[in-house]
Amino acid sequence: MNDKQKARNFRQYKVWQDAIDYATEIYKITDNLPWFEKKGICDQLRRAVVSISSNIAEGAAKPSDIDFARFLDQALGSTYEVETQLLISKNVGYIDNTLYLELLNRNTIIEKQIVGLIRSIRTQNR
């Protein structure tokens, strides 16, 4: 690939598909948070988890691999943000340890997929 490449089809990336499924699950779970958290951790968590797939999709539309990798960096940062918010949610008792570990595992899988895609892109452009 080179810097003149046309837009990629983001829908074909497994990481994007997994991130969509993950965001959908997080939305369902956050529906059960206390009402007073709807403008707190609930909104933060939802924005961060949606940002993962959104940045992958937006980056795929960029013509250069450098720009795509930059958006993937943003998506990776959002996975770290989700991880932080999940830990806080567990620590304050909004989610139990079993659910926390389940969600953390899914988050880690997406993190690894993003890191692999970033490496692949940056290696091709050396």
Side-chain angles (χ1 to χ4, degrees), residues 1 5-13 15-16 52-72 75 117 121:
M1 291 189 263
Q5 178 177 348
K6 293 184 180 182
R8 300 148 192 89
N9 183 350
F10 64 90
R11 294 169 202 87
Q12 293 180 348
Y13 287 100
V15 65
W16 178 83
I52 299 168
S53 55
S54 296
N55 274 300
I56 294 167
E58 187 174 358
K62 301 302 177 187
S64 78
D65 289 341
I66 292 167
D67 285 338
F68 185 29
R70 187 172 53 82
F71 276 88
L72 292 172
L117 188 51
I121 290 168

Side-chain angles (χ1 to χ4, degrees), residues 35-36 50 96 107 113-114 124:
W35 67 268
F36 54 84
V50 166
D96 65 29
N107 200 62
Q113 290 173 314
I114 293 169
Q124 291 176 14

Side-chain angles (χ1 to χ4, degrees), residues 71-90:
F71 276 88
L72 292 172
D73 287 334
Q74 293 293 325
L76 183 61
S78 293
T79 66
Y80 296 163
E81 187 177 352
V82 168
E83 182 175 338
T84 300
Q85 293 158 0
L86 288 174
L87 179 58
I88 292 167
S89 296
K90 178 189 74 85

